[in-house]
């Protein structure tokens, strides 16, 4: 089974998820520096695009 990876650039941030790491990296689009890591929990065995979008949208709404 191929590992899931998702990447999106939105509102000046790069959101990137790799199943091997178990969290979403949030990098600043301008300087590439790490801004935050969004924990997704080990309960998400088969992550999908919708779960990924829900997590980064929640992060954006909370303002980090």
């Amino acid at each position: 089974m191929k590992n899931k990876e998702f990447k999106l650039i939105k509102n000046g941030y790069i959101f990137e998820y790799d199943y091997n790491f178990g969290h979403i990296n949030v990098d600043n689009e301008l300087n590439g520096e790490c801004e935050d890591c969004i924990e997704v929990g080990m309960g998400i065995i088969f992550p999908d695009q919708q779960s990924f979008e829900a997590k980064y949208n929640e992060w954006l709404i909370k303002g980090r």
Side-chain angles (χ1 to χ4, degrees):
M1 183 175 123
K2 186 175 185 249
N3 289 332
K4 298 276 188 165
E5 295 181 12
F6 301 106
K7 183 174 183 177
L8 177 83
I9 299 172
K10 186 171 182 176
N11 293 2
Y13 298 102
I14 302 168
F15 297 90
E16 191 167 12
Y17 175 78
D18 184 324
Y19 182 77
N20 292 324
F21 300 119
H23 60 265
I24 299 171
N25 288 328
V26 182
D27 295 332
N28 185 301
E29 184 180 13
L30 297 177
N31 60 23
E33 291 185 16
C34 181
E35 293 282 333
D36 201 358
C37 288
I38 303 170
E39 294 298 324
V40 295
M42 297 309 290
I44 301 176
I45 298 170
F46 299 109
D48 57 17
Q49 186 71 32
Q50 186 176 5
S51 299
F52 173 70
E53 291 175 6
K55 286 290 186 181
Y56 75 69
N57 278 325
E58 180 181 311
W59 185 89
L60 285 170
I61 289 168
K62 287 184 178 179
R64 305 186 318 155

